[in-house]
Amino acid sequence: MTTLLSRWRSSLRNVLWLDALQAAAISAAPVILAVLIHEPRLGWTAIAAFWACFGDPGGPLRQRAGSMLALGMIGALFCFLASISAGHLWLLLPLTFLCCTFGGLLRVLGPAAAIVGTLLSAGFVVAAELPAPTLAASLSYTLFFVAGALWAILMTALVWRRRPWKDATHAVAHCYRGLADFADALARLYSGLAPAGGPQAWSAVTRAQRGSLRAALETARGRIREVQDARPSRRARAQQLFYLLDSAEDSFIALVAAADLLESNAPRWLGRGAGANLSHAFHRYASVANAIASTSDVTDAKQAECLRERLAHFGAGLHELRGAAMAYAPDLATMVPVLDRMQQNAHAVMQALFDQDGAPDAPAQAARAESPARAAWRSLRQNLRFDSDAFRHALRVGIGATIAVALSKTFTVNHGYWMSLTLVFVLQPYFATTWTRTVERVIGSVAGAIGASLLGLLLSTPLSVALAVLPIALGTFAARTIHYALFTFFLTSQFVLVSHIQQPDIYEPMLAALRALNSVLGGVLALLVGFLVWPEKEPRQLAGALSRALERHAAYALALTQNKSGAGDNGQDIVDLRRLACLSADNAEASLQRLQQNPVHRDRNVDTAVNLLNAMRRVTAAGTVLEIQPALPADSPAAAALRDYGRVLAHALHPQEPAPEAGIRQLAVPAALASVAPGLAGPLDRIAQQARQVRQLRERVQQA
């Protein structure tokens, strides 16, 4: 519970409240208008506006408007097809399969397209229950849906226009807040008097911080590219954001190196002189990172002065650390270059923000990439085959939605579209994630239904019910980035109230009870479909993900040793290889978590996978320490020994042919290298320890 609350507090800090309020007002306005002019069909307009705002991907206006317009037009077509075929089951079921399969296939175009596809599928199954006995009625509902989408586009494009780089700026600020959280976590783990826990405590904290911060960095990089491609006139602003993001990633690497050094040397760094100063230094750096994240106006002298004061405070702490603290722990000298690198990055960021001369130069313009429409069509065409996981999941969604609609129509389930709606929203590509999403949605739906019932008893007039939709919609848009169960709670309350306005003859508690019951039925059906229709082979996928991660870590270790020996790849290649290694480890960990969360998975012996992942993280952590060290002269004997030793380490992590000639069993750091470059010998020895463990785990698996 403590971990969950801490995660929620961190998510609340990054909620765009103004954007959530705008989206809530856009989706609530048609509901209020429906009550004022006594037109219940405007509730369908409110739903369309809500879905259009929910499918807003952010970024440049052209991209946002295009995504919302596509959702509105295709959603209107789905609405017409579903409503006109609702009375003919022989026609409705094939259309349900085709439309929902198409919606599920949009997942291959990215997270934003996946949301649009889910909303399109949801719109079809809801429209299949609309009271439209004639063609004119179907057309009227279609027009009301189009009106809702156009209303949302009009308000976001003309009235509440957002700066195109706002999302990118917020994403970069989120990275610096993540750096602050990482530094605070390290300071809490190493209190200065005693470590807060053993290796498991260190691994639990650093694994979560590294994973979330790596994801934030990749998200911010994508947001900046959107701004750069869509607004060439703002290219200087995009380059500044890229510079801030690169500095954040460099500071992230320094924090990973610091975590490795703390975990490896904490027993020798105990005491007031060393430990307390280290802990204070990390807290002070966290305040610097938070100040950078809070900078909203580069012309504000107060914000510049605040950042300078915190930097000076951090510098004073480093001065104290070099003085009396190192007298208690001489080995602390290995930490000084890491902290100096963090300080240099912070100074460079301050100059880029507040000093005109410190602004980075824009690099040469790159060649234009493939058009988005052509790239989307190519991705869809490549996945139109049965061996594609995305295509199988799209078929799974189509089959599940068709079964849900057939059950609802056959047994005339009251408000049966809630069952189909729940299935569309909770059915995921993996059974473990479907199980988690189902539990969260059922809990949120039941709680939201109870809350809407109590609220309906307190509100006596339709206008008061319509006005209550606004704060609830605000909670819906704010909670979608916090937790899915909380989001479902607000979403259920909102839809129960909107449905009551459309059908005022139904009593709120009865409507809420129907919503809760059908949500449970839809969740159960989603679990059955996810378990029976092409269930994933997670153990096999985990084995492949671990193998790819080991291969990339071996490539990173080899390139890094070649670089430090004065030959091989340059610094940018090292950064790219490290990023690929970290992303592959994150993918393997996600596969492991799905395997552990699967309620029907019987084989719980995943210790080997856990140990392999921990070893790979320690390899990259020690590698970041190695990156900071200076390189050897290329023609020195130590450099030649380092090149040979790098090939040995890489082969131990991921065996390839031909094998190195010597040193394959011992993996000890060469004596010539240890005597000449002790700064390199320390992190190399830690990489060797993890390589030995990886080799032992591989041999154990082969014997088993």
Side-chain angles (χ1 to χ4, degrees):
M1 182 60 68
T2 302
T3 304
L4 183 62
L5 291 177
S6 176
R7 189 179 306 166
W8 282 19
R9 285 196 300 268
S10 177
S11 300
L12 278 172
R13 187 173 56 179
N14 296 289
V15 171
L16 297 176
W17 290 103
L18 181 59
D19 295 342
L21 178 60
Q22 293 172 358
I26 291 172
S27 58
V31 180
I32 300 174
L33 184 62
V35 174
L36 294 177
I37 67 174
H38 305 287
E39 177 53 74
R41 287 177 296 182
L42 280 173
W44 188 237
T45 301
I47 293 175
F50 172 80
W51 281 346
C53 294
F54 193 75
D56 183 359
L61 179 60
R62 180 181 300 176
Q63 175 180 329
R64 297 173 60 207
S67 178
M68 297 168 73
L69 184 62
L71 176 61
M73 295 298 102
I74 301 177
L77 176 62
F78 281 16
C79 171
F80 178 74
L81 293 176
S83 60
I84 200 173
S85 62
H88 310 283
L89 197 61
W90 61 270
L91 179 60
L92 177 62
L93 295 184
L95 287 176
T96 302
F97 174 77
L98 292 175
C99 293
C100 292
T101 300
F102 172 78
L105 189 60
L106 291 181
R107 181 178 295 270
V108 302
L109 303 181
I115 294 175
V116 172
T118 302
L119 294 176
L120 288 174
S121 301
F124 185 92
V125 297
V126 172
E129 300 286 341
L130 291 176
T134 63
L135 178 62
S138 298
L139 286 175
S140 67
Y141 276 109
T142 302
L143 293 177
F144 274 107
F145 189 93
V146 173
L150 293 178
W151 160 253
I153 295 173
L154 179 67
M155 294 299 292
T156 56
L158 298 180
V159 180
W160 280 324
R161 297 187 63 179
R162 292 192 298 181
R163 293 175 298 174
W165 60 87
K166 180 178 179 180
D167 293 333
T169 303
H170 177 75
V172 175
H174 180 48
C175 295
Y176 278 94
R177 291 192 183 96
L179 291 176
D181 293 340
F182 197 176
D184 278 332
L186 292 180
R188 287 193 301 268
L189 267 178
Y190 190 69
S191 63
L193 297 177
Q200 293 181 351
W202 283 93
S203 179
V205 171
T206 57
R207 180 174 65 247
Q209 294 290 342
R210 289 176 61 177
S212 61
L213 197 46
R214 170 58 60 189
L217 289 168
E218 296 301 322
T219 301
R221 198 173 300 278
R223 287 297 188 187
I224 300 173
R225 288 197 184 102
E226 292 174 355
V227 176
Q228 189 179 32
D229 294 338
R231 294 292 297 271
S233 61
R234 298 292 182 178
R235 194 170 298 277
R237 174 61 172 163
Q239 293 305 322
Q240 185 186 48
L241 291 177
F242 268 128
Y243 182 80
L244 296 177
L245 185 63
D246 290 340
S247 298
E249 184 163 7
D250 198 67
S251 299
F252 167 60
I253 296 308
L255 281 174
V256 172
D260 178 68
L261 290 171
L262 284 175
E263 184 179 1
S264 304
N265 299 288
R268 297 198 301 273
W269 288 352
L270 300 181
R272 298 182 183 276
N277 282 279
L278 262 180
S279 182
H280 293 161
F282 283 114
H283 279 305
R284 292 174 181 179
Y285 176 76
S287 67
V288 171
N290 278 324
I292 295 174
S294 301
T295 301
S296 58
D297 185 2
V298 296
T299 63
D300 190 347
K302 292 183 178 180
Q303 293 185 3
E305 185 62 27
C306 175
L307 181 55
R308 289 192 180 94
E309 288 179 358
R310 296 189 181 185
L311 269 173
H313 195 48
F314 179 49
L318 295 186
H319 180 73
E320 295 173 2
L321 190 65
R322 291 189 184 91
M326 290 183 62
Y328 290 91
D331 292 338
L332 196 62
T334 57
M335 180 66 79
V336 172
V338 178
L339 297 175
D340 285 342
R341 185 167 180 172
M342 295 161 58
Q343 184 184 29
Q344 293 168 5
N345 287 333
H347 274 293
V349 167
M350 184 184 67
Q351 292 176 357
L353 287 174
F354 298 105
D355 297 337
Q356 294 295 331
D357 296 338
D361 296 330
Q365 184 175 359
R368 291 185 60 86
E370 187 179 10
S371 65
R374 185 173 299 176
W377 170 246
R378 181 170 51 83
S379 298
L380 289 173
R381 189 175 65 251
Q382 289 176 350
N383 282 274
L384 286 176
R385 59 181 190 272
F386 193 75
D387 58 345
S388 170
D389 293 337
F391 184 62
R392 287 200 300 269
H393 174 67
L395 292 175
R396 190 184 298 121
V397 173
I399 292 173
T402 304
I403 295 174
V405 171
L407 292 175
S408 175
K409 291 293 186 179
T410 302
F411 297 101
T412 61
V413 180
N414 195 351
H415 285 73
Y417 66 88
W418 275 334
M419 177 174 62
S420 308
L421 197 67
T422 300
L423 181 138
V424 168
F425 276 115
V426 304
L427 191 58
Q428 301 295 310
Y430 301 99
F431 180 76
T433 52
T434 301
W435 166 261
T436 305
R437 184 63 61 90
T438 300
V439 172
E440 292 174 348
R441 187 171 183 89
V442 168
I443 293 174
S445 295
V446 173
I450 295 174
S453 301
L454 297 176
L455 189 61
L457 295 176
L458 297 176
L459 303 176
S460 57
T461 63
L463 182 59
S464 61
V465 174
L467 292 175
V469 172
L470 177 60
I472 294 176
L474 175 62
T476 303
F477 282 102
R480 64 175 179 171
T481 59
I482 299 175
H483 196 272
Y484 188 75
L486 185 64
F487 162 73
T488 306
F489 168 79
F490 284 105
L491 181 67
T492 300
S493 302
Q494 178 182 350
F495 269 74
V496 167
L497 295 180
V498 173
S499 299
H500 173 66
I501 292 175
Q502 290 181 292
Q503 297 173 312
D505 54 324
I506 300 181
Y507 188 49
E508 287 92 346
M510 178 62 67
L511 194 64
L514 289 173
R515 167 77 191 226
L517 176 61
N518 289 330
S519 295
V520 173
L521 294 177
V524 172
L525 182 59
L527 290 175
L528 290 175
V529 172
F531 180 71
L532 297 175
V533 181
W534 300 299
E536 75 278 5
K537 302 296 188 294
E538 198 59 60
R540 186 181 304 170
Q541 294 180 0
L542 175 60
L546 287 172
S547 178
R548 287 189 295 271
L550 286 172
E551 182 179 5
R552 290 180 177 177
H553 279 76
Y556 167 63
L558 179 61
L560 185 56
T561 53
Q562 295 293 317
N563 178 266
K564 293 304 171 182
S565 65
D569 298 321
N570 56 33
Q572 186 58 42
D573 293 333
I574 298 297
V575 171
D576 294 338
L577 287 172
R578 180 185 0 99
R579 181 181 296 118
L580 289 175
C582 293
L583 291 176
S584 63
D586 292 341
N587 292 335
E589 183 180 10
S591 180
L592 174 62
Q593 289 176 351
R594 290 193 297 266
L595 182 66
Q596 292 174 315
Q597 293 171 358
N598 195 329
V600 298
H601 178 62
R602 298 179 180 179
D603 184 13
R604 295 293 181 180
N605 186 17
V606 293
D607 294 341
T608 300
V610 173
N611 292 331
L612 283 173
L613 286 171
N614 290 334
M616 284 186 279
R617 288 193 185 89
R618 291 190 173 95
V619 166
T620 53
T624 55
V625 180
L626 195 63
E627 287 184 41
I628 299 175
Q629 306 301 321
L632 297 173
D635 55 351
S636 63
L642 179 58
R643 286 191 288 269
D644 295 337
Y645 187 60
R647 288 190 286 269
V648 171
L649 291 178
H651 189 274
L653 290 170
H654 188 74
Q656 294 179 349
E657 297 295 337
E661 297 179 356
I664 191 62
R665 300 304 303 178
Q666 298 299 325
L667 294 181
V669 179
L673 180 60
S675 60
V676 173
L680 297 177
L684 284 173
D685 182 63
R686 290 195 292 277
I687 294 175
Q689 293 175 8
Q690 305 310 316
R692 292 190 197 98
Q693 184 178 6
V694 168
R695 188 174 60 190
Q696 293 172 0
L697 292 171
R698 186 184 296 109
E699 292 175 353
R700 186 186 307 170
V701 170
Q702 291 175 351
Q703 292 174 0

